[in-house]
Amino acid sequence: MASLTLPGFAEGLQLSGDWEGTKKPNIVFIMADDMGYGDLGCYNKDSKIPTPNMDRLAAEGMRFTDAHSPSAVCTPTRYGVLTGRYCWRSRLKRGVLNGYSPALIDTRRMTVASLLKQHGYATACIGKWHLGLGTDKKTDFNKPLTPGPNALGFDYFYGISASLDMPPYCYIENNRPVDKPTLTTEAGKASEDGWWRAGAIAPGFRHVEVLPRLTEKAVEYIDNHTGKSPDRPFFMYFALPAPHCPIAPADFVKGRSKAGGYGDFVVEVDWTVGQVVKTLERNGHTRDTLIIVTSDNGSPARTKVKREPYSIIEIYGHYPNGNLRGIKADIWDGGHREPFIARWPGNVPAGTTSDQIVCLTDLMATCAAIVGVELPDNAGEDSYNILPAMLGKKLNKPIREAIVHHSSMGMFSIRQGEWKLIMGRGSGGFSSPKIYKPKPGEPKGQLYNLEDDFAESRNIWSEHPEIVKQLTNLLEKYKEQGRTRPL
Ligand SMILES: [Ca+2]
């Protein structure tokens, strides 16, 4: 098959599927947990948090300004990232799993990891899983934890079952706990802002050590892999447990931000990104690695869980979600518009931005394009190849026809160009009112024009019945046909 070298590709890197004699790029996908659009200096000049490592990646790569997680909370976003399919098509229609939930992803389904593995990649998942383990109604940590990441295309897994505030608190390596969670912890605090649920814990497990330990494992993986198989590309899905609560910054970052413990924890996230970047450099992987840094949903923007959702803003004047409306879990953009930085020297033009509307579900089709294959029809149903945007190609039209947003309570929204339609009133998530029941004659939903009204402050549903109708029909079509990516 004749191969086509695309403009912008480094010498020797091609994009046709004809990779013989060339090395495919390593792909490192780092996803923070609950980090907001306004936490990073490169997204918010008024951020009170120094993020030099992420800012450097943005300066050396591309910063997307209109990237979205497919959901405003953890589990469904992770499902979407790994399968390229919206999670509301799965059994999970709202909310998240817990640390003992059975596996959510069908093992027959293609994942980004199984796709890349088929094409010669070594694959690793490090960090927070939160997609369920095993088949029992309540996972038994005395039995092999399968199916888990290893059954979904990952050669190696080291991490934790779910969020860092959800038991059981133990590290898992492949399909077994490193130490079984045989003890019990009360609900606890890791700092003035820390909080976790009571439950089972492994001897010696300390919440504050988790991010440094996972960072060490990520570094170790890159070093070991390169030592053993320097010519084999790898995919690392590195899902950080931070800055999600318990806000547990390590001592070495305390006081480094001007946004309290939360800000310091974001500093630690930035440190982790820096460690990965340094390790890639040390192993000679700077130029042959696509690194993406993003977050799984917006920031809850809080210090004290459930009581003072806006206290980071009130106390420190730091806006974790920038000027966006809403917070984590909400259908407004604060719930799901994410920082998204891509660096691949020689391929992704340095110091650029893209305003393409992209979704984290797009990782699947983008990886397929990188390895030069077509996705089968029954995989990546909501995944679009965003590589052309990453490579800085001039595009005449949007890559995605539209994007579907989803809140923690299962509220839908569809966005096309400047128009954003929300199928309900209220936030659908954490912000008040969560659900507003319209009185007779009041609009049933929300329509915003994000070009004129970035902050989603003027509901113009009643003024544009034709747009409401058109977007409602498109959303219904997307639900019914089981996919958005065209066949
Ligand atoms: Ca999250």
mmCIF file of all heavy atoms in Angstrom, residues 84-113:
data_model
loop_
_atom_site.group_PDB
_atom_site.id
_atom_site.type_symbol
_atom_site.label_atom_id
_atom_site.label_comp_id
_atom_site.label_asym_id
_atom_site.label_seq_id
_atom_site.Cartn_x
_atom_site.Cartn_y
_atom_site.Cartn_z
ATOM 1 N N GLY A 84 -14.303 4.918 23.497
ATOM 2 C CA GLY A 84 -14.726 5.791 22.399
ATOM 3 C C GLY A 84 -16.233 5.801 22.214
ATOM 4 O O GLY A 84 -16.753 6.108 21.133
ATOM 5 N N ARG A 85 -16.953 5.479 23.275
ATOM 6 C CA ARG A 85 -18.409 5.396 23.201
ATOM 7 C C ARG A 85 -18.987 6.115 24.414
ATOM 8 O O ARG A 85 -18.454 5.977 25.522
ATOM 9 C CB ARG A 85 -18.801 3.920 23.238
ATOM 10 C CG ARG A 85 -20.278 3.616 23.159
ATOM 11 C CD ARG A 85 -20.429 2.109 23.335
ATOM 12 N NE ARG A 85 -21.776 1.616 23.081
ATOM 13 C CZ ARG A 85 -22.427 0.812 23.937
ATOM 14 N NH1 ARG A 85 -21.867 0.440 25.073
ATOM 15 N NH2 ARG A 85 -23.631 0.375 23.632
ATOM 16 N N TYR A 86 -20.061 6.858 24.210
ATOM 17 C CA TYR A 86 -20.681 7.536 25.348
ATOM 18 C C TYR A 86 -21.186 6.511 26.368
ATOM 19 O O TYR A 86 -21.837 5.525 26.001
ATOM 20 C CB TYR A 86 -21.861 8.393 24.883
ATOM 21 C CG TYR A 86 -21.484 9.606 24.049
ATOM 22 C CD1 TYR A 86 -22.164 9.883 22.862
ATOM 23 C CD2 TYR A 86 -20.468 10.480 24.446
ATOM 24 C CE1 TYR A 86 -21.854 10.999 22.093
ATOM 25 C CE2 TYR A 86 -20.149 11.602 23.678
ATOM 26 C CZ TYR A 86 -20.843 11.852 22.509
ATOM 27 O OH TYR A 86 -20.532 12.957 21.754
ATOM 28 N N CYS A 87 -20.923 6.790 27.632
ATOM 29 C CA CYS A 87 -21.269 5.822 28.676
ATOM 30 C C CYS A 87 -22.778 5.662 28.862
ATOM 31 O O CYS A 87 -23.232 4.613 29.300
ATOM 32 C CB CYS A 87 -20.613 6.236 29.996
ATOM 33 S SG CYS A 87 -20.789 5.013 31.290
ATOM 34 N N TRP A 88 -23.556 6.707 28.511
ATOM 35 C CA TRP A 88 -25.006 6.570 28.707
ATOM 36 C C TRP A 88 -25.594 5.505 27.782
ATOM 37 O O TRP A 88 -26.749 5.128 27.917
ATOM 38 C CB TRP A 88 -25.724 7.911 28.568
ATOM 39 C CG TRP A 88 -25.266 8.786 27.440
ATOM 40 C CD1 TRP A 88 -24.359 9.808 27.506
ATOM 41 C CD2 TRP A 88 -25.707 8.727 26.063
ATOM 42 N NE1 TRP A 88 -24.204 10.389 26.256
ATOM 43 C CE2 TRP A 88 -25.010 9.750 25.357
ATOM 44 C CE3 TRP A 88 -26.606 7.917 25.361
ATOM 45 C CZ2 TRP A 88 -25.193 9.981 23.993
ATOM 46 C CZ3 TRP A 88 -26.791 8.142 23.994
ATOM 47 C CH2 TRP A 88 -26.085 9.169 23.326
ATOM 48 N N ARG A 89 -24.795 5.006 26.856
ATOM 49 C CA ARG A 89 -25.247 3.862 26.048
ATOM 50 C C ARG A 89 -25.026 2.540 26.794
ATOM 51 O O ARG A 89 -25.480 1.492 26.362
ATOM 52 C CB ARG A 89 -24.477 3.801 24.722
ATOM 53 C CG ARG A 89 -24.619 5.040 23.853
ATOM 54 C CD ARG A 89 -24.086 4.756 22.460
ATOM 55 N NE ARG A 89 -23.883 5.976 21.688
ATOM 56 C CZ ARG A 89 -24.836 6.628 21.033
ATOM 57 N NH1 ARG A 89 -26.084 6.191 21.097
ATOM 58 N NH2 ARG A 89 -24.569 7.715 20.343
ATOM 59 N N SER A 90 -24.247 2.570 27.892
ATOM 60 C CA SER A 90 -23.974 1.351 28.668
ATOM 61 C C SER A 90 -25.052 1.190 29.746
ATOM 62 O O SER A 90 -26.030 1.936 29.779
ATOM 63 C CB SER A 90 -22.596 1.467 29.335
ATOM 64 O OG SER A 90 -22.685 2.285 30.499
ATOM 65 N N ARG A 91 -24.842 0.265 30.692
ATOM 66 C CA ARG A 91 -25.845 0.079 31.757
ATOM 67 C C ARG A 91 -25.840 1.240 32.742
ATOM 68 O O ARG A 91 -26.767 1.445 33.501
ATOM 69 C CB ARG A 91 -25.614 -1.251 32.481
ATOM 70 C CG ARG A 91 -24.370 -1.302 33.345
ATOM 71 C CD ARG A 91 -24.373 -2.496 34.328
ATOM 72 N NE ARG A 91 -23.407 -2.282 35.376
ATOM 73 C CZ ARG A 91 -22.192 -2.839 35.422
ATOM 74 N NH1 ARG A 91 -21.822 -3.678 34.477
ATOM 75 N NH2 ARG A 91 -21.375 -2.571 36.404
ATOM 76 N N LEU A 92 -24.749 2.035 32.759
ATOM 77 C CA LEU A 92 -24.632 3.128 33.727
ATOM 78 C C LEU A 92 -25.225 4.409 33.130
ATOM 79 O O LEU A 92 -24.613 5.042 32.283
ATOM 80 C CB LEU A 92 -23.159 3.349 34.102
ATOM 81 C CG LEU A 92 -22.916 4.353 35.223
ATOM 82 C CD1 LEU A 92 -23.303 3.774 36.587
ATOM 83 C CD2 LEU A 92 -21.448 4.795 35.249
ATOM 84 N N LYS A 93 -26.413 4.763 33.583
ATOM 85 C CA LYS A 93 -27.132 5.890 32.986
ATOM 86 C C LYS A 93 -26.941 7.187 33.770
ATOM 87 O O LYS A 93 -27.331 8.261 33.311
ATOM 88 C CB LYS A 93 -28.634 5.588 32.907
ATOM 89 C CG LYS A 93 -28.974 4.287 32.203
ATOM 90 C CD LYS A 93 -28.616 4.322 30.730
ATOM 91 C CE LYS A 93 -29.057 3.052 30.017
ATOM 92 N NZ LYS A 93 -28.435 2.939 28.675
ATOM 93 N N ARG A 94 -26.430 7.098 34.975
ATOM 94 C CA ARG A 94 -26.188 8.275 35.807
ATOM 95 C C ARG A 94 -25.235 7.888 36.925
ATOM 96 O O ARG A 94 -25.052 6.707 37.203
ATOM 97 C CB ARG A 94 -27.491 8.822 36.396
ATOM 98 C CG ARG A 94 -28.240 7.810 37.245
ATOM 99 C CD ARG A 94 -29.522 8.374 37.783
ATOM 100 N NE ARG A 94 -30.419 8.763 36.691
ATOM 101 C CZ ARG A 94 -31.339 9.711 36.769
ATOM 102 N NH1 ARG A 94 -31.493 10.385 37.897
ATOM 103 N NH2 ARG A 94 -32.122 9.983 35.753
ATOM 104 N N GLY A 95 -24.622 8.897 37.569
ATOM 105 C CA GLY A 95 -23.766 8.625 38.717
ATOM 106 C C GLY A 95 -22.488 7.896 38.345
ATOM 107 O O GLY A 95 -22.094 7.862 37.174
ATOM 108 N N VAL A 96 -21.856 7.321 39.366
ATOM 109 C CA VAL A 96 -20.569 6.639 39.172
ATOM 110 C C VAL A 96 -20.603 5.280 39.868
ATOM 111 O O VAL A 96 -21.508 4.988 40.643
ATOM 112 C CB VAL A 96 -19.388 7.472 39.761
ATOM 113 C CG1 VAL A 96 -19.256 8.801 39.042
ATOM 114 C CG2 VAL A 96 -19.528 7.684 41.267
ATOM 115 N N LEU A 97 -19.588 4.453 39.606
ATOM 116 C CA LEU A 97 -19.431 3.188 40.323
ATOM 117 C C LEU A 97 -18.784 3.455 41.671
ATOM 118 O O LEU A 97 -18.298 4.554 41.939
ATOM 119 C CB LEU A 97 -18.531 2.237 39.525
ATOM 120 C CG LEU A 97 -18.962 1.866 38.106
ATOM 121 C CD1 LEU A 97 -17.980 0.840 37.532
ATOM 122 C CD2 LEU A 97 -20.384 1.321 38.064
ATOM 123 N N ASN A 98 -18.748 2.417 42.539
ATOM 124 C CA ASN A 98 -17.962 2.526 43.768
ATOM 125 C C ASN A 98 -16.779 1.554 43.685
ATOM 126 O O ASN A 98 -16.557 0.912 42.660
ATOM 127 C CB ASN A 98 -18.841 2.311 45.013
ATOM 128 C CG ASN A 98 -19.376 0.896 45.105
ATOM 129 O OD1 ASN A 98 -18.636 -0.076 44.921
ATOM 130 N ND2 ASN A 98 -20.671 0.761 45.380
ATOM 131 N N GLY A 99 -16.027 1.444 44.771
ATOM 132 C CA GLY A 99 -14.803 0.633 44.760
ATOM 133 C C GLY A 99 -15.036 -0.867 44.693
ATOM 134 O O GLY A 99 -14.086 -1.634 44.504
ATOM 135 N N TYR A 100 -16.297 -1.296 44.876
ATOM 136 C CA TYR A 100 -16.618 -2.730 44.849
ATOM 137 C C TYR A 100 -17.543 -3.086 43.689
ATOM 138 O O TYR A 100 -18.133 -4.168 43.675
ATOM 139 C CB TYR A 100 -17.305 -3.139 46.153
ATOM 140 C CG TYR A 100 -16.429 -3.045 47.385
ATOM 141 C CD1 TYR A 100 -16.492 -1.922 48.213
ATOM 142 C CD2 TYR A 100 -15.561 -4.081 47.728
ATOM 143 C CE1 TYR A 100 -15.696 -1.835 49.350
ATOM 144 C CE2 TYR A 100 -14.768 -4.008 48.864
ATOM 145 C CZ TYR A 100 -14.838 -2.877 49.673
ATOM 146 O OH TYR A 100 -14.063 -2.790 50.799
ATOM 147 N N SER A 101 -17.719 -2.178 42.748
ATOM 148 C CA SER A 101 -18.656 -2.449 41.636
ATOM 149 C C SER A 101 -18.058 -3.457 40.663
ATOM 150 O O SER A 101 -16.842 -3.508 40.480
ATOM 151 C CB SER A 101 -18.935 -1.161 40.861
ATOM 152 O OG SER A 101 -19.499 -0.181 41.687
ATOM 153 N N PRO A 102 -18.922 -4.270 40.036
ATOM 154 C CA PRO A 102 -18.430 -5.167 38.984
ATOM 155 C C PRO A 102 -18.023 -4.388 37.728
ATOM 156 O O PRO A 102 -18.429 -3.234 37.541
ATOM 157 C CB PRO A 102 -19.633 -6.071 38.697
ATOM 158 C CG PRO A 102 -20.824 -5.324 39.167
ATOM 159 C CD PRO A 102 -20.368 -4.419 40.282
ATOM 160 N N ALA A 103 -17.249 -5.045 36.875
ATOM 161 C CA ALA A 103 -16.700 -4.409 35.671
ATOM 162 C C ALA A 103 -17.810 -3.863 34.775
ATOM 163 O O ALA A 103 -18.819 -4.527 34.523
ATOM 164 C CB ALA A 103 -15.858 -5.422 34.906
ATOM 165 N N LEU A 104 -17.602 -2.662 34.304
ATOM 166 C CA LEU A 104 -18.604 -1.992 33.454
ATOM 167 C C LEU A 104 -18.377 -2.250 31.968
ATOM 168 O O LEU A 104 -19.324 -2.389 31.209
ATOM 169 C CB LEU A 104 -18.549 -0.479 33.745
ATOM 170 C CG LEU A 104 -19.470 0.430 32.928
ATOM 171 C CD1 LEU A 104 -20.943 0.092 33.190
ATOM 172 C CD2 LEU A 104 -19.212 1.903 33.279
ATOM 173 N N ILE A 105 -17.128 -2.307 31.552
ATOM 174 C CA ILE A 105 -16.853 -2.455 30.113
ATOM 175 C C ILE A 105 -16.905 -3.934 29.726
ATOM 176 O O ILE A 105 -16.232 -4.768 30.333
ATOM 177 C CB ILE A 105 -15.465 -1.874 29.739
ATOM 178 C CG1 ILE A 105 -15.377 -0.381 30.112
ATOM 179 C CG2 ILE A 105 -15.190 -2.062 28.246
ATOM 180 C CD1 ILE A 105 -14.004 0.250 29.862
ATOM 181 N N ASP A 106 -17.718 -4.239 28.734
ATOM 182 C CA ASP A 106 -17.821 -5.594 28.202
ATOM 183 C C ASP A 106 -16.449 -5.997 27.644
ATOM 184 O O ASP A 106 -15.863 -5.259 26.855
ATOM 185 C CB ASP A 106 -18.882 -5.569 27.080
ATOM 186 C CG ASP A 106 -19.215 -6.951 26.549
ATOM 187 O OD1 ASP A 106 -18.310 -7.810 26.477
ATOM 188 O OD2 ASP A 106 -20.396 -7.170 26.205
ATOM 189 N N THR A 107 -15.957 -7.172 28.049
ATOM 190 C CA THR A 107 -14.602 -7.556 27.627
ATOM 191 C C THR A 107 -14.513 -7.859 26.127
ATOM 192 O O THR A 107 -13.421 -7.963 25.584
ATOM 193 C CB THR A 107 -14.103 -8.801 28.400
ATOM 194 O OG1 THR A 107 -15.095 -9.820 28.293
ATOM 195 C CG2 THR A 107 -13.867 -8.475 29.866
ATOM 196 N N ARG A 108 -15.658 -7.982 25.472
ATOM 197 C CA ARG A 108 -15.622 -8.200 24.017
ATOM 198 C C ARG A 108 -15.458 -6.886 23.255
ATOM 199 O O ARG A 108 -15.255 -6.868 22.050
ATOM 200 C CB ARG A 108 -16.913 -8.883 23.546
ATOM 201 C CG ARG A 108 -16.995 -10.339 23.971
ATOM 202 C CD ARG A 108 -18.413 -10.843 23.846
ATOM 203 N NE ARG A 108 -19.337 -10.058 24.677
ATOM 204 C CZ ARG A 108 -20.616 -10.320 24.845
ATOM 205 N NH1 ARG A 108 -21.174 -11.339 24.229
ATOM 206 N NH2 ARG A 108 -21.382 -9.569 25.625
ATOM 207 N N ARG A 109 -15.593 -5.800 23.969
ATOM 208 C CA ARG A 109 -15.540 -4.473 23.333
ATOM 209 C C ARG A 109 -14.092 -4.037 23.122
ATOM 210 O O ARG A 109 -13.253 -4.222 23.997
ATOM 211 C CB ARG A 109 -16.284 -3.481 24.238
ATOM 212 C CG ARG A 109 -16.276 -2.058 23.754
ATOM 213 C CD ARG A 109 -17.329 -1.224 24.438
ATOM 214 N NE ARG A 109 -18.633 -1.381 23.788
ATOM 215 C CZ ARG A 109 -18.958 -0.842 22.616
ATOM 216 N NH1 ARG A 109 -18.093 -0.081 21.971
ATOM 217 N NH2 ARG A 109 -20.144 -1.042 22.084
ATOM 218 N N MET A 110 -13.816 -3.442 21.968
ATOM 219 C CA MET A 110 -12.474 -2.907 21.728
ATOM 220 C C MET A 110 -12.244 -1.686 22.611
ATOM 221 O O MET A 110 -13.145 -0.864 22.804
ATOM 222 C CB MET A 110 -12.337 -2.505 20.253
ATOM 223 C CG MET A 110 -10.961 -1.941 19.909
ATOM 224 S SD MET A 110 -10.896 -1.340 18.200
ATOM 225 C CE MET A 110 -10.544 -2.871 17.352
ATOM 226 N N THR A 111 -11.050 -1.620 23.191
ATOM 227 C CA THR A 111 -10.659 -0.420 23.934
ATOM 228 C C THR A 111 -9.453 0.201 23.222
ATOM 229 O O THR A 111 -8.844 -0.430 22.358
ATOM 230 C CB THR A 111 -10.247 -0.758 25.374
ATOM 231 O OG1 THR A 111 -9.042 -1.542 25.328
ATOM 232 C CG2 THR A 111 -11.337 -1.513 26.127
ATOM 233 N N VAL A 112 -9.111 1.400 23.641
ATOM 234 C CA VAL A 112 -7.912 2.040 23.085
ATOM 235 C C VAL A 112 -6.714 1.124 23.318
ATOM 236 O O VAL A 112 -5.860 0.941 22.440
ATOM 237 C CB VAL A 112 -7.671 3.415 23.739
ATOM 238 C CG1 VAL A 112 -6.382 4.034 23.229
ATOM 239 C CG2 VAL A 112 -8.843 4.354 23.478
ATOM 240 N N ALA A 113 -6.669 0.497 24.508
ATOM 241 C CA ALA A 113 -5.538 -0.376 24.842
ATOM 242 C C ALA A 113 -5.516 -1.620 23.957
ATOM 243 O O ALA A 113 -4.462 -1.999 23.442
ATOM 244 C CB ALA A 113 -5.614 -0.775 26.314
#
